[in-house]
Amino acid sequence: VILLNNIEKVYVMGQQKLYALQNLSCEIFKGEFAALMGPSGSGKSTLMNIIGCLDTPTSGSYILNGTDVIKLNDNQLAEIRNKEIGFVFQTFNLLPRMNAIENVELPLIYAGISKKERTDRAKETLISVGLENRMNHKPNELSGGQRQRVAIARALVNNPSILLADEPTGNLDSRSSGEILDLFDKIHSFGNTILMVTHEEDVAKRAKRIIRMIDGHIDTLQNIRET
Amino acid sequence: VILLNNIEKVYVMGQQKLYALQNLSCEIFKGEFAALMGPSGSGKSTLMNIIGCLDTPTSGSYILNGTDVIKLNDNQLAEIRNKEIGFVFQTFNLLPRMNAIENVELPLIYAGISKKERTDRAKETLISVGLENRMNHKPNELSGGQRQRVAIARALVNNPSILLADEPTGNLDSRSSGEILDLFDKIHSFGNTILMVTHEEDVAKRAKRIIRMIDGHIDTLQNIRET
Ligand SMILES: Nc1ncnc2c1ncn2[C@@H]1O[C@H](COP(=O)(O)OP(=O)(O)OP(=O)(O)O)[C@@H](O)[C@H]1O
Ligand SMILES: Nc1ncnc2c1ncn2[C@@H]1O[C@H](COP(=O)(O)OP(=O)(O)OP(=O)(O)O)[C@@H](O)[C@H]1O
Ligand SMILES: [Mg+2]
Ligand SMILES: [Mg+2]
């Protein structure tokens, strides 16, 4: 469902070129639950942003569900992001002046869902991540792990066929982590595709495949050793 | 060095009172390296903010190095924060328009250090957290784990006698984590006091004592079981 070929992402800084990704080729199959690991700065978030249609590569091709994503215009990309993809950001990116329910409703507004149904679905999703007692809190009235779970709820509320989660348990204790991973298992069992960045081996083991990155590309040698 | 007695922190939300901390008493000894653990929302960051003189309790007493902190005015608190305490925030709190070096120099500006020495010390500290190749990057040009390490460098640059670190390895792979924890060991060996929040047992084991919190207070039963 996700096919990346020879992806390159370069940042130009003054006279220098910084290769965040280079020679990156990778395939994620429909309905797969994969974990993405690698050292800090190895390009995981950059790769996730490209897969999530939030960023475009400097070169290379990205075919999503048979569609050549690089050829799409901004409106078409926004439509894919809203309908097909749920994204949990490493830095959450919640809107500070809205409370938890309002933040989680956002993807449903774009999808044209009625106010009553939006509120019901947002509440339901917040309950599923253990936040029924924090629905009216704004982000600055929430703990780090509670904000993380609002970000997860917002990614799930539209029932996306592809869930991209960048360090979704980075601020969660082992029990809340376990609850979130159980939720991911449930979503996976419905046939959805999940790609999750994590730096914790215990969390990665909950996925069915571990993809390792190093210096901006896939560490194929390590991947071969592990299978 | 840190003595908290019967600390309470209440948030009033409309008609309700939310007890983020209640009946919390705790002592941290000079030169100790302790880990603080507990479920998401149990009050760890709230406690850290009070210890770090960034927030005041609703009631209770806090004696730091023999000084009654609650009686101090804002200027005196700012002085303590700058001279005695280094704080690594759970959400980093870097200034977006400054690059890594400029962010790390900030505590030294308050301390009245000259420009040349500030830059030297900031560079040195950034090298010690593995960021010698990212010194001129702004936060949005850095990965999550790189931003975390800039936040750590900023907390260390003033050589504080008390280091408060809220989830300092939350975004780091195991190798970068290990390097940061080695650095903490070194700081500890110089006689400094470290209190570190973490949700990972492996990281907590690097400390000499684990303090567990639950529902806004210290879990004394669990603490007794572990000693
Ligand atoms: N806008 C930018 N300009 C220059 N360099 C950048 C920019 N954004 C990212 N980088 C660099 O690209 C590299 C990859 O960043 P990325 O955020 O993908 O890493 P990561 O694998 O997610 O790391 P982490 O585990 O620390 O979150 C990093 O070395 C980073 O410094
Ligand atoms: N300004 C506020 N108004 C209302 N409630 C708040 C406010 N700030 C924090 N809280 C609540 O206080 C409780 C403790 O928050 P705190 O950030 O200390 O938790 P934590 O232990 O650090 O959690 P985490 O592990 O998720 O970071 C949480 O339940 C949170 O919702
Ligand atoms: Mg990242
Ligand atoms: Mg916290």
Side-chain angles (χ1 to χ4, degrees):
Chain A
V1 65
I2 289 169
L3 186 54
L4 299 146
N5 205 10
N6 245 327
I7 293 287
E8 196 178 80
K9 180 72 184 178
V10 183
Y11 291 109
V12 178
M13 304 196 78
Q15 298 280 358
Q16 294 193 342
K17 278 191 173 183
L18 197 158
Y19 286 84
L21 301 175
Q22 58 181 324
N23 302 330
L24 190 142
S25 299
C26 177
E27 194 169 356
I28 310 284
F29 301 96
K30 191 162 167 55
E32 222 192 332
F33 183 176
L36 182 62
M37 300 189 84
S40 175
S42 54
K44 306 179 296 294
S45 297
T46 306
L47 177 58
M48 293 285 274
N49 287 337
I50 287 173
I51 293 176
C53 301
L54 292 156
D55 192 12
T56 48
T58 318
S59 71
S61 71
Y62 172 23
I63 314 288
L64 172 66
N65 275 328
T67 305
D68 184 345
V69 166
I70 318 269
K71 295 198 158 56
L72 300 182
N73 65 39
D74 284 353
N75 282 337
Q76 293 168 311
L77 287 171
E79 179 123 354
I80 288 187
R81 284 199 299 271
N82 185 260
K83 287 206 161 53
E84 304 286 340
I85 297 171
F87 206 120
V88 186
F89 295 93
Q90 191 170 8
T91 48
F92 319 156
N93 299 353
L94 301 179
L95 296 190
R97 292 202 228 114
M98 294 184 167
N99 66 24
I101 296 184
E102 292 161 338
N103 263 287
V104 175
E105 282 184 12
L106 283 174
L108 301 176
I109 295 178
Y110 186 97
I113 310 279
S114 73
K115 175 66 181 154
K116 164 126 193 17
E117 186 179 347
R118 286 204 308 263
T119 305
D120 287 350
R121 282 169 61 169
K123 284 185 176 177
E124 199 178 312
T125 317
L126 282 165
I127 290 171
S128 76
V129 296
L131 291 179
E132 60 259 58
N133 296 324
R134 292 290 181 272
M135 301 220 209
N136 298 311
H137 285 231
K138 296 201 185 64
N140 70 341
E141 297 168 331
L142 291 171
S143 78
Q146 291 165 349
R147 285 176 210 162
Q148 186 150 42
R149 284 180 276 161
V150 176
I152 292 169
R154 183 183 58 187
L156 296 181
V157 74
N158 220 0
N159 230 327
S161 56
I162 298 169
L163 174 63
L164 301 174
D166 197 344
E167 295 280 359
T169 63
N171 282 284
L172 298 179
D173 56 286
S174 55
R175 179 174 153 189
S176 312
S177 261
E179 291 169 1
I180 293 301
L181 292 167
D182 289 346
L183 187 57
F184 283 16
D185 280 337
K186 188 164 144 208
I187 292 161
H188 181 224
S189 73
F190 293 148
N192 296 307
T193 308
I194 303 182
L195 179 60
M196 166 177 80
V197 174
T198 181
H199 68 264
E200 291 181 63
E201 295 281 345
D202 296 345
V203 173
K205 289 202 180 87
R206 298 283 302 251
K208 305 287 174 290
R209 160 163 78 131
I210 297 180
I211 302 167
R212 295 193 189 262
M213 278 184 73
I214 186 164
D215 292 335
H217 58 268
I218 307 291
D219 186 0
T220 35
L221 191 60
Q222 179 71 8
N223 286 333
I224 289 169
R225 279 204 205 106
E226 288 185 40
T227 43
Chain B
V1 65
I2 290 169
L3 186 54
L4 299 145
N5 205 10
N6 246 327
I7 293 289
E8 196 178 82
K9 180 70 184 179
V10 183
Y11 291 109
V12 178
M13 302 195 79
Q15 298 281 358
Q16 295 192 342
K17 278 188 172 183
L18 197 158
Y19 286 84
L21 300 176
Q22 58 181 324
N23 302 329
L24 190 143
S25 298
C26 176
E27 193 169 357
I28 309 285
F29 302 95
K30 191 161 167 56
E32 225 193 327
F33 182 176
L36 181 62
M37 300 189 84
S40 175
S42 55
K44 305 178 297 296
S45 298
T46 306
L47 177 58
M48 294 286 274
N49 286 337
I50 287 172
I51 293 176
C53 300
L54 292 156
D55 191 14
T56 47
T58 319
S59 71
S61 72
Y62 172 23
I63 313 287
L64 171 65
N65 274 328
T67 305
D68 185 344
V69 166
I70 318 270
K71 296 199 158 57
L72 300 182
N73 65 41
D74 285 353
N75 282 337
Q76 291 167 314
L77 288 172
E79 179 124 354
I80 287 186
R81 285 199 299 270
N82 184 262
K83 287 206 161 54
E84 305 286 340
I85 297 171
F87 206 119
V88 186
F89 294 92
Q90 190 169 8
T91 49
F92 319 157
N93 299 353
L94 301 178
L95 297 190
R97 291 201 228 114
M98 294 184 168
N99 65 25
I101 296 185
E102 292 161 339
N103 263 285
V104 175
E105 282 184 11
L106 282 174
L108 302 176
I109 295 179
Y110 186 98
I113 310 278
S114 73
K115 175 68 180 155
K116 163 127 193 17
E117 188 181 346
R118 288 205 306 265
T119 306
D120 288 350
R121 281 169 62 169
K123 285 187 177 175
E124 199 178 313
T125 317
L126 282 165
I127 290 172
S128 76
V129 296
L131 292 178
E132 60 260 59
N133 296 325
R134 292 289 183 272
M135 300 218 210
N136 297 310
H137 285 231
K138 296 203 185 64
N140 69 342
E141 297 168 332
L142 291 171
S143 78
Q146 290 166 347
R147 285 175 210 163
Q148 186 150 43
R149 285 180 278 160
V150 175
I152 293 169
R154 183 183 59 186
L156 297 180
V157 75
N158 219 1
N159 229 329
S161 57
I162 297 169
L163 174 64
L164 301 174
D166 198 342
E167 294 282 357
T169 63
N171 283 284
L172 299 179
D173 57 284
S174 55
R175 180 174 153 186
S176 312
S177 259
E179 291 170 1
I180 292 302
L181 292 168
D182 290 345
L183 187 56
F184 283 16
D185 281 337
K186 188 165 144 206
I187 291 162
H188 181 225
S189 73
F190 293 147
N192 296 307
T193 307
I194 303 181
L195 179 60
M196 167 178 79
V197 174
T198 181
H199 68 264
E200 292 180 63
E201 295 281 345
D202 296 344
V203 172
K205 288 202 181 86
R206 297 283 302 253
K208 305 288 173 290
R209 160 162 79 131
I210 297 179
I211 302 168
R212 296 195 189 262
M213 279 184 73
I214 186 165
D215 293 335
H217 57 269
I218 306 291
D219 185 0
T220 35
L221 191 60
Q222 178 71 7
N223 286 334
I224 289 170
R225 280 204 205 105
E226 289 185 38
T227 42

